[in-house]
Amino acid sequence: MVASRRGLIFTSIFLGVTALGLAPPPAVAGTFNPERDVGDVVPAWTDLPGTDGRLHSWTDVADRDAVVVVFTCNGCPYAVDYEERINALARRAIAPGSRFAVVAVNSHLVAEDSPEAMRQRAERRGFVFPYLHDASQALARGYGAVRTPEFFLLDRERRIVYMGAFDDATDAAKVTRRHLEDALASLLDGGRPALAETAPVGCSIRFTRRRGGDPPVP
């Protein structure tokens, strides 16, 4: 009787969430991600300010078969190490006939990562990808992102097909496995990556403490 009642309660909650047009929370987290697992549909973004002076939304990339979302920042040395690799991938993304997009998100709330500081860095480094400011930190929390840089590859339905590190070495000269690019190639070829999750390597995202919520990630 108790089990049956619990089942009815769960069903009612699920149907209520579905009726509101919201995705139910993931059943389990990934191996390295505290919130999301491969196959989860991730939250959309709406009206996030970019370094180009525009507001960016999910619809900007609606026509792409794949989207690479990277959580990064200005000052983390690991993020800096990957800037050129991200930009090289983004140059392929903006080439004629490309079927994927690259979007970078900064969720830090410190002066070094202010919108103006982001704009200056994007200009100085010649970023060719949208670099967006997640002032509420809701997007980073929704993806379960905890590091900078941390990468997510999404399919046409915006389900996660790969998440984690870009490759296997922060020193570009020592890279032997290109996890993200291999996953992207598999996805665009109609398949699924053999390796779907790796441990992200980088600085901790500086989350603000929420009242009654979790403390910042160590």
Side-chain angles (χ1 to χ4, degrees):
M1 180 68 177
V2 173
S4 176
R5 185 175 299 170
R6 286 176 178 169
L8 288 173
I9 292 172
F10 178 82
T11 301
S12 298
I13 293 172
F14 179 84
L15 291 176
V17 168
T18 302
L20 290 173
L22 303 174
V28 294
T31 302
F32 305 107
N33 189 307
E35 300 291 339
R36 293 289 170 180
D37 200 359
V38 172
D40 285 348
V41 177
V42 293
W45 59 83
T46 303
D47 294 336
L48 289 187
T51 55
D52 57 1
R54 295 175 48 229
L55 294 178
H56 292 255
S57 299
W58 190 258
T59 53
D60 296 343
V61 295
D63 63 332
R64 299 304 176 101
D65 293 333
V67 179
V68 174
V69 178
V70 51
F71 290 88
T72 187
C73 66
N74 284 355
C76 170
Y78 294 95
V80 172
D81 284 344
Y82 277 94
E83 283 180 343
E84 183 48 44
R85 275 171 274 187
I86 297 169
N87 220 24
L89 183 64
R91 290 188 192 100
R92 289 167 48 195
I94 63 174
S98 171
R99 295 162 50 205
F100 73 96
V102 174
V103 178
V105 179
N106 189 335
S107 300
H108 283 182
L109 303 180
V110 296
E112 186 178 21
D113 291 297
S114 69
E116 176 57 22
M118 289 170 57
R119 186 195 65 76
Q120 292 176 8
R121 185 157 194 86
E123 182 177 344
R124 184 166 65 251
R125 297 289 288 165
F127 292 167
V128 298
F129 49 83
Y131 190 20
L132 314 182
H133 190 233
D134 176 28
S136 70
Q137 299 188 315
L139 201 61
R141 291 184 187 276
Y143 276 66
V146 295
R147 302 289 175 188
T148 55
E150 187 166 347
F151 298 84
F152 294 81
L153 174 62
L154 314 178
D155 66 9
R156 184 75 185 183
E157 286 72 43
R158 304 311 181 235
R159 296 171 299 192
I160 299 171
V161 297
Y162 171 81
M163 58 184 180
F166 189 94
D167 50 33
D168 65 351
T170 56
D171 182 346
K174 297 180 180 179
V175 171
T176 61
R177 295 285 304 276
R178 293 174 171 80
H179 307 312
L180 176 65
E181 293 181 86
D182 289 347
L184 177 61
S186 294
L187 179 61
L188 294 179
D189 283 344
R192 293 284 161 170
L195 182 63
E197 185 182 7
T198 59
V201 177
C203 304
S204 296
I205 293 179
R206 303 171 189 176
F207 286 109
T208 57
R209 188 182 295 272
R210 297 181 295 184
R211 180 178 298 178
D214 299 329
V217 175

